[in-house]
Amino acid sequence: MQSSTTSIHEEERLKALKSLDILDSQPEKEYDELTELAAYICDAPIALISLIDKDRQWFKSKIGFDACETEREISFCTHAINQTNEIYEIEDASSHDLFKDNPFVIEKGVKFYAGTPLIHHNGHALGTICVIDYKPKSLTDKQKLALKNLANQVVKLFELRFKNENLREAQRNLKEKNTQLKNFAGVVSHDMKMPLANIIVTIDILKRKYNKVLDEAGFDYLNNLKQSAFKMSDYISNILTHYESDEITEKQSKENIDVHELLEDVIELLDVNDNCDINLPADNIQLKCNKTAIEQILLNLLGNSLKYNDKEKIIVDIDVSEDEHYYYFSVKDNGIGIPKEKQKDIFKLFSTVAEKDRRGQKGNGIGLSTVRKLINNLGGTIDVESEKGVYTKISFSIEKCS
């Protein structure tokens, strides 16, 4: 009767096996395809991907075999893992001194076994890919080579699975941190907006109550303080919108929209003076999309066209078209333009290009980042074309709703 064999590096081998986090995992098609191929190539009724744990052998994949695991001390594979990169072959186990009394031989009628070790990148054998038959036989050299090649593919699958699991864990952690950040942004915006509103109201009260006492410098201080409070409030609102953009695209329903009506509604929300011409698309197409998200995108892009414009007469041209799968939008203005070397950065969070807008205010670099996030969530892309001092054209697409 055989006795269980262990390597002098058994502790390190088991550590390598545990690090893969694959024991007792669910069946996976990729491994089953390799065992099927091993059985076919070696003309054997049974093929296994076996992993050798401390006291058991567990099968990641099995063809022609019912059990999910067996005791290690009666396994053929526990011997095979000591044959580094070599096929461990038993042509007739019933006449083999080590296996003739094995329960699989006596009770199941196993005669033939051939297995090749699955070698971890640190050199330890994790288990085997093996084939079993109920009649004595031997593998040809080509079959042995094929079994070794299959073993290499199994190990590559182990490594790929490990990397994918690590990536999924990193994504889960990132999603959790992002959720925490969203919640934090929501709490901060709520807790800060009310005090800021109180500051703004208090400044107006001070200006009215002490208008006969304050000199010009005093009024300037209060006006600067009020402007700073408005800027902080706007900054908080933009941060909150950025982190709520996923919810906007996921939860808002799709609507049938008249593009001219949509643009007219957006323009009404902007501070448009007589010195500005906003030209709507020549064709008034009908959209079916997330109205809230599109409004947010256009409001930001048109707002930028007005704010970052140094011309006496502001001109903005809007174009909308479609094909079978996408809607295409463009917003072109005759504003300050964007230097070529800065164009690749304008959609990054907190990235700003212009020192100040038309009113002398500095942007916070949140709006265009939010726009890109919304567009990406809608299955589209965004691009910029610009010449400094001449024009800027922002073009984007959104995927049509099915």
Side-chain angles (χ1 to χ4, degrees), residues 44-62:
I46 299 173
L48 307 166
I49 293 176
S50 171
L51 297 174
I52 305 301
D53 202 357
K54 182 179 180 181
D55 298 313
R56 62 171 179 157
Q57 65 171 348
W58 176 81
F59 306 120
K60 174 59 183 172
S61 177
K62 56 187 189 295

Side-chain angles (χ1 to χ4, degrees), residues 234 238 300-310 314 336 356-361 363-364:
D234 182 60
N238 286 335
N300 188 285
L301 296 181
L302 289 172
N304 283 349
S305 292
L306 301 182
K307 287 192 297 183
Y308 298 103
N309 201 304
D310 56 354
I314 299 174
I336 62 175
K356 293 182 180 180
D357 63 19
R358 192 178 182 89
R359 296 177 177 177
Q361 303 296 316
N364 50 44

Side-chain angles (χ1 to χ4, degrees), residues 360-393:
Q361 303 296 316
K362 183 174 176 59
N364 50 44
I366 302 173
L368 284 179
S369 175
T370 303
V371 164
R372 182 178 67 172
K373 193 175 182 185
L374 286 168
I375 290 169
N376 288 343
N377 288 347
L378 293 172
T381 59
I382 187 168
D383 195 20
V384 60
E385 176 187 330
S386 185
E387 183 178 344
K388 186 176 180 181
V390 181
Y391 76 97
T392 295
K393 181 179 180 181

